[in-house]
Amino acid sequence: MIFIIKLLSKNYHTKSFRLTYLLALLLTLVYSCKQENANQLQTPHSREVLSITEKVADWQIETFEDMGKYRALPSSKNKREWDNRKKHHELDWTCAALYSGMFELSTVSHDPKYVNWLVEIGDRNNWQLNKRFYHADDQAVGQFYLSLHQNVRLKKIASIEPTKRRFDSIMASEKGKKYHWDWCDALFMAPPVWVRLAKVTKDSTYLQYMDSQYKMAYNELWDPEENLFYRDKSYFDKREKNGKKIFWSRGNGWVFGGLALMIPDFPENFKSGFYKDLFVKMAERLKETQREDGTWSAGILGDLKDYPTMESSGTSFFTFGLAWGINQGLLEKDVFEPVLFKAWNALVKCVDEKGMLGFVQPIGAKPGESFQNYSEVYGVGAFLAAGSELYKYLSKFHPPSRDMSHSTFMEDGGWCWYQDPRAVISDGKLVISGISGQSGDVRIGIYDLRSEKIDSTVVLHENLEVDDHDAPALFKRPDDRILAVWAMHSKEKIHYSSVTEPGNYLNWMNCKLFEHDYNHKNGVTYMNLFYLKNEGTLYNFFRDGLTFNPTFMKSNDFGDSWGESTHFIANDIKGYQRPYARYHQIDENTIGISYTDGHPRRFGNNIYYVEFSNNIFYKADGTKIKDINSGPLRTSEGEKLYSGSDTNEKSILTESVPNSAWTCAMGTDSQNYPHIGYSLYLNDSDHRFRISSWDGESWHDREIAYAGKCLYKIESSYTGLLAFDPEDPRKVYISTDVDPSTGKDLGGVHEIYMAHIDLNDDISTIKWKPITSNSNYRNIRPIVVNDEGYKVLLWLNGPWNTFKDYNANVLGIILDTPVENK
């Protein structure tokens, strides 16, 4: 602009000349700016990447049975005798590539339908490979069988035996020793299956067989000058119209994507340098051959005029591999990120409004045409793998900003929901317990409610383990100290404790440990601390390893020492079962307990309630049930608030037993009447929240909200949970990833909602108000803490993939403050 202003001051011959010249300069400047902006690629947002990837997957699942209608076929001049619009056989290589991509999506999506769809496919085909015994194409479906088999909950469902029998027979035969993978596509179809079987079975002979076959193919089909693979030996002497060698984009995509699937499964002692070097060489060549539109031509070295349309299947495989290579540190981020983003931006343009991926080249063995309005399942599989790996890449290198719409009360915290209290208020300080999802440290966060600032975070136990079950329970002692008690997740017969100095919550005394003496390998977990005033006794309710049941220990010195264990609640279901119990202080002399028959993965749980006072179990109306001295409470002896399916029967698509309940919150009103919040599992994608409220004469049980999808597949009954206001249980807070009133999927993460719920309200009358919205990360496991005139709503916010894989901060709102502070 300075240059242009100077031009205005020059004494040109005519005014019109000056204006014409200036206009030309302005147009040149504008064009240059546009070109510069066009070359600056915007970083995709991880949420948008996942959204469009799920959209493509949803479309493919919905149209799977009718796939022939959408299949890409060559134009009439190139049509072959075997081209048709029939559905591919479900064990065909075409579908195997789709399943491989769908599995990759299932590892990053919060929606369980993708993994469940794969389970359904595998089950109805009896986990078999396709018919041709030695053919690599007919081994490809083994990829997703073995992938599912590595999920601890699917190990018994996803059988690998048919694959293992086939491969054992191949290795034992003379024919199996011959060269079989003599076209480059085979290097995607078979090698990842062989390597993954070696990993699962810990049998290196499968790995050795793969290595031998792979290198035979490499020695024949690899071009060391171009660092690309010929499709097969028939292409050695063929050339593009421009005279360059013919290297098929999707063919090399098969190899590149196959390496990205295979290399992670190599054992540490395997000499994998050959495969990593091969991958890097291919990546470097792909960087050099990418088109301006971000794709690769169907013939990688062909001229643009010979391949005028985009081709999405090869480009998808390359995008998947590039994202994976940077994630694994094999490719330099700064060098390859522009290539990756440019490719993804091009692929997004290939997806229509319904979610169909267009521009997929039809089945073939050479570069060819593609069509905007037609697709193919193998191209979709490649796209799903690309989107999933890019999502991992963005989460690692370009994570969304932390949600800052509400106050952060503690960084790097986490908890389960069977440890209470998890936070206490004392002397104007909010003291929060947590277990780090990064280091496994047992942590205490101290937040000053007066200044509304974080004071500090204290580590009570370094590197215990990353597991949300290990968070401490807290108790505010009469001597102005706070006690914390914690334990590992059933791995040790030990619980730990520490107390603060009087009134100084930044200084904690040395950690003590208490060893539990019983004869069983399982340890203790789930510490809960409650005090009964008339007994002068502090109770630690926990689950022990001997019976797997709720148990307690007593302390008469506020946790400095503990007495013997007492079996508290015994399961009625046969076997080594585990009733889940939540505890709540009904009044200073009474503990309320809501509990289940067992784990919803194993049983269609009922919900029960009892009260415990003076060593006696009571119903809510005060009717005595039994004395603890006569033995533990049997689960069926309590008041049944909800009748579950009462069975252990479930389908392969429901990881938990349908119509199984799980207790998740308790509260009391001004008359000390209990209110029980619990979740109900219908299937992995449909949970409900329910409340049972006692009115002094009877229970009011009703459904209050849709709880949405499970948090993750290996614990399909896990929801975002709910919480009551401690002073008024009619005020209810929930976490859900769907519309709480209709169940409609809103396409986002778990958000926090609040509603006022009276005894006669149910889901049809309740009006939910959002507390959080448009969040980048899940908001789960709300709790409400009150004391000293303060009331605080807290929840966990951050990536939460499993109970051993999370990175959460504690966010919240100060709902009320003492009168003098207002």
Side-chain angles (χ1 to χ4, degrees):
M1 290 301 295
I2 295 173
F3 174 70
I4 294 171
I5 292 171
K6 287 182 177 180
L7 283 176
L8 289 173
S9 66
K10 288 187 177 290
N11 186 22
Y12 287 104
H13 296 293
T14 66
K15 181 179 180 180
S16 61
F17 177 85
R18 290 198 303 269
L19 291 173
T20 302
Y21 190 76
L22 178 58
L23 180 61
L25 284 172
L26 285 170
L27 290 172
T28 301
L29 181 61
V30 169
Y31 177 78
S32 298
C33 289
K34 285 185 176 180
Q35 286 297 103
E36 185 178 346
N37 290 337
N39 292 330
Q40 292 178 348
L41 291 172
Q42 276 195 331
T43 301
H45 193 289
S46 59
R47 183 170 55 197
E48 294 173 355
V49 169
L50 183 59
S51 177
I52 196 168
T53 306
E54 290 178 331
K55 183 178 181 179
V56 171
D58 292 345
W59 176 87
Q60 187 62 79
I61 290 174
E62 291 168 6
T63 62
F64 186 70
E65 296 301 323
D66 199 23
M67 70 173 70
K69 177 181 176 181
Y70 305 96
R71 281 186 57 189
L73 299 177
S75 57
S76 56
K77 64 178 180 180
N78 296 318
K79 192 171 183 180
R80 299 152 298 194
E81 182 179 345
W82 45 269
D83 286 321
N84 62 73
R85 293 205 171 277
K86 296 179 181 178
K87 176 187 175 184
H88 295 300
H89 191 285
E90 290 186 353
L91 300 182
D92 191 47
W93 64 269
T94 53
C95 290
L98 169 63
Y99 306 149
S100 179
M102 194 72 74
F103 177 80
E104 294 300 316
L105 175 58
S106 77
T107 65
V108 297
S109 174
H110 293 155
D111 198 321
K113 66 183 172 185
Y114 306 116
V115 68
N116 285 341
W117 185 75
L118 291 173
V119 170
E120 189 174 24
I121 293 287
D123 181 68
R124 71 178 176 226
N125 288 284
N126 298 313
W127 310 98
Q128 297 291 323
L129 302 181
N130 214 351
K131 295 180 181 179
R132 293 173 293 179
F133 201 80
Y134 295 95
H135 204 291
D137 285 354
D138 288 6
Q139 299 170 14
V141 291
Q143 285 187 39
F144 94 90
Y145 297 164
L146 287 157
S147 297
L148 292 177
H149 184 79
Q150 293 178 91
N151 183 311
V152 65
R153 305 292 181 229
L154 300 175
K155 189 174 293 290
K156 293 182 179 179
I157 295 173
S159 174
I160 63 171
E161 287 307 309
T163 301
K164 186 177 183 301
R165 285 195 299 269
R166 170 83 65 92
F167 285 13
D168 287 345
S169 296
I170 289 173
M171 290 192 299
S173 69
E174 286 302 315
K175 185 176 180 180
K177 297 179 177 63
K178 296 179 180 179
Y179 176 30
H180 291 283
W181 301 346
D182 57 357
W183 74 110
C184 70
D185 315 28
L187 301 184
F188 175 92
M189 307 303 167
V193 191
W194 286 84
V195 176
R196 195 157 295 170
L197 185 61
K199 176 184 178 181
V200 170
T201 61
K202 297 181 174 56
D203 186 341
S204 63
T205 55
Y206 302 112
L207 188 63
Q208 294 163 10
Y209 181 87
M210 182 285 302
D211 191 48
S212 173
Q213 285 287 328
Y214 200 105
K215 287 177 178 174
M216 282 189 262
Y218 169 84
N219 290 333
E220 181 178 41
L221 302 179
W222 175 251
D223 186 314
E225 294 179 353
E226 295 292 350
N227 284 341
L228 294 168
F229 277 86
Y230 291 102
R231 196 276 173 178
D232 56 59
K233 63 183 180 182
S234 70
Y235 283 86
F236 292 166
D237 298 322
K238 294 179 181 179
R239 296 293 182 267
E240 297 280 3
K241 291 181 180 180
N242 61 12
K244 296 182 179 179
K245 299 175 184 178
I246 296 177
F247 294 104
W248 183 30
S249 174
R250 187 164 70 236
N252 280 272
W254 289 125
V255 180
F256 198 59
L259 286 167
L261 290 172
M262 180 172 64
I263 292 173
D265 287 339
F266 287 143
E268 291 185 6
N269 60 356
F270 179 70
K271 296 180 180 180
S272 59
F274 165 81
Y275 295 95
K276 292 177 180 178
D277 290 345
L278 175 61
F279 177 86
V280 172
K281 287 178 182 178
M282 292 189 72
E284 293 285 355
R285 192 65 177 113
L286 292 172
K287 177 171 66 69
E288 298 166 355
T289 55
Q290 187 180 29
R291 299 178 0 166
E292 280 302 312
D293 65 4
T295 66
W296 283 263
S297 294
I300 294 178
L301 303 184
D303 288 339
L304 184 61
K305 62 184 175 60
D306 297 322
Y307 300 102
T309 59
M310 295 187 291
E311 202 291 301
S312 61
S313 64
T315 298
S316 291
F317 279 122
F318 296 149
T319 304
F320 165 57
L322 290 171
W324 176 84
I326 306 173
N327 281 337
Q328 297 303 312
L330 294 179
L331 303 179
E332 189 175 344
K333 173 182 175 294
D334 292 342
V335 173
F336 283 92
E337 183 180 89
V339 182
L340 173 63
F341 288 174
K342 194 174 181 181
W344 178 255
N345 290 341
L347 286 175
V348 170
K349 296 174 184 177
C350 297
V351 179
D352 70 13
E353 293 182 358
K354 294 181 179 179
M356 185 190 77
L357 176 71
F359 295 105
V360 180
Q361 185 190 337
I363 292 174
K366 62 181 180 180
E369 56 197 341
S370 60
F371 309 95
Q372 180 177 0
N373 299 321
Y374 289 96
S375 188
E376 264 289 13
V377 290
Y378 48 80
V380 171
F383 181 91
L384 300 184
S388 303
E389 194 65 33
L390 178 59
Y391 177 82
K392 296 176 185 176
Y393 174 84
L394 294 170
S395 299
K396 180 178 181 180
F397 294 109
H398 300 279
S401 59
R402 284 285 185 172
D403 295 305
M404 300 297 291
S405 298
H406 298 90
S407 299
T408 299
F409 288 83
M410 178 184 182
E411 295 181 348
D412 191 16
W415 54 63
C416 190
W417 71 100
Y418 288 107
Q419 315 101 337
D420 276 313
R422 284 159 268 165
V424 296
I425 295 171
S426 183
D427 193 25
K429 307 286 187 181
L430 175 64
V431 182
I432 308 166
S433 73
I435 182 81
S436 166
Q438 307 308 295
S439 63
D441 290 347
V442 176
R443 294 158 58 85
I444 299 291
I446 298 94
Y447 184 91
D448 191 312
L449 292 168
R450 298 186 183 96
S451 65
E452 298 188 7
K453 293 180 180 178
I454 295 175
D455 268 0
S456 185
T457 302
V458 179
V459 175
L460 300 185
H461 193 147
E462 290 186 348
N463 303 316
L464 181 64
E465 65 171 344
V466 176
D467 189 317
D468 67 19
H469 298 69
D470 299 358
L474 304 177
F475 173 67
K476 187 166 71 171
R477 299 183 0 167
D479 59 3
D480 204 24
R481 297 172 184 255
I482 292 178
L483 168 71
V485 178
W486 66 95
M488 295 184 77
H489 186 192
S490 301
K491 292 183 179 178
E492 295 180 328
K493 291 182 274 190
I494 296 172
H495 78 249
Y496 302 87
S497 67
S498 182
V499 296
T500 65
E501 293 181 357
N504 187 347
Y505 307 133
L506 297 179
N507 291 330
W508 291 73
M509 310 298 285
N510 290 336
C511 176
K512 292 183 178 181
L513 62 86
F514 183 94
E515 295 189 23
H516 297 249
D517 185 17
Y518 56 82
N519 186 25
H520 199 285
K521 65 178 182 179
N522 281 343
V524 299
T525 191
Y526 297 137
M527 305 290 112
N528 295 267
L529 300 175
F530 291 90
Y531 185 73
L532 294 183
K533 185 176 181 180
N534 60 347
E535 296 182 26
T537 301
L538 178 65
Y539 281 76
N540 178 13
F541 296 97
F542 62 94
R543 187 180 77 196
D544 82 330
L546 178 62
T547 62
F548 230 25
N549 286 176
T551 301
F552 67 74
M553 308 176 75
K554 295 181 182 181
S555 174
N556 295 318
D557 51 18
F558 302 109
D560 288 337
S561 63
W562 295 96
E564 297 295 321
S565 297
T566 300
H567 192 180
F568 191 50
I569 300 176
N571 57 286
D572 279 323
I573 313 170
K574 292 181 180 179
Y576 193 55
Q577 303 291 350
R578 41 184 161 168
Y580 278 79
R582 279 192 59 82
Y583 308 90
H584 183 75
Q585 195 93 40
I586 301 299
D587 59 42
E588 60 187 12
N589 299 316
T590 307
I591 305 297
I593 308 102
S594 60
Y595 61 91
T596 68
D597 304 88
H599 195 295
R601 193 188 312 120
R602 302 286 300 277
F603 192 73
N605 285 327
N606 307 291
I607 290 289
Y608 302 90
Y609 177 77
V610 295
E611 293 180 355
F612 184 69
S613 181
N614 296 311
N615 292 313
I616 298 173
F617 293 101
Y618 296 93
K619 294 183 179 180
D621 64 2
T623 302
K624 180 180 177 179
I625 300 174
K626 67 186 299 183
D627 192 303
I628 188 68
N629 294 327
S630 64
L633 181 81
R634 308 298 300 188
T635 51
S636 59
E637 293 176 321
E639 286 188 88
K640 184 186 289 187
L641 307 184
Y642 178 82
S643 295
S645 56
D646 223 11
T647 179
N648 58 7
E649 295 181 2
K650 59 182 180 180
S651 77
I652 60 167
L653 298 183
T654 53
E655 193 263 333
S656 293
V657 179
N659 195 24
S660 57
W662 217 353
T663 182
C664 59
M666 294 181 67
T668 49
D669 57 29
S670 59
Q671 296 176 282
N672 289 335
Y673 293 157
H675 298 254
I676 315 302
Y678 61 99
S679 61
L680 179 66
Y681 173 89
L682 300 180
N683 59 59
D684 290 359
S685 299
D686 188 2
H687 298 72
R688 309 292 173 90
F689 285 130
R690 299 181 66 89
I691 292 177
S692 281
S693 301
W694 175 253
D695 68 0
E697 296 182 357
S698 62
W699 290 95
H700 296 252
D701 187 83
R702 65 274 196 210
E703 184 175 298
I704 63 161
Y706 287 86
K709 300 182 285 294
C710 63
L711 286 188
Y712 42 88
K713 177 63 179 177
I714 63 170
E715 290 291 358
S716 64
S717 284
Y718 278 20
T719 65
L721 302 181
L722 66 86
F724 294 106
D725 184 308
E727 294 180 318
D728 184 0
R730 294 176 300 175
K731 294 179 182 178
V732 181
Y733 300 87
I734 64 170
S735 165
T736 178
D737 64 346
V738 298
D739 185 309
S741 298
T742 66
K744 180 181 178 181
D745 193 336
L746 301 178
V749 296
H750 281 73
E751 305 283 7
I752 305 295
Y753 295 84
M754 180 268 179
H756 187 284
I757 303 175
D758 287 319
L759 289 180
N760 295 321
D761 281 328
D762 62 21
I763 195 168
S764 66
T765 60
I766 298 168
K767 305 298 182 184
W768 290 100
K769 173 187 175 182
I771 301 295
T772 65
S773 60
N774 299 316
S775 302
N776 287 326
Y777 297 105
R778 287 171 156 176
N779 302 281
I780 62 171
R781 300 179 180 172
I783 59 175
V784 184
V785 190
N786 74 306
D787 205 352
E788 300 179 353
Y790 291 101
K791 186 183 297 180
V792 185
L793 168 66
L794 300 172
W795 64 86
L796 303 175
N797 170 272
W800 201 282
N801 301 316
T802 72
F803 65 95
K804 293 186 176 183
D805 180 9
Y806 58 90
N807 182 7
N809 291 338
V810 180
L811 303 189
I813 303 170
I814 298 177
L815 300 173
D816 208 353
T817 58
V819 174
E820 60 269 21
N821 289 6
K822 295 182 179 179

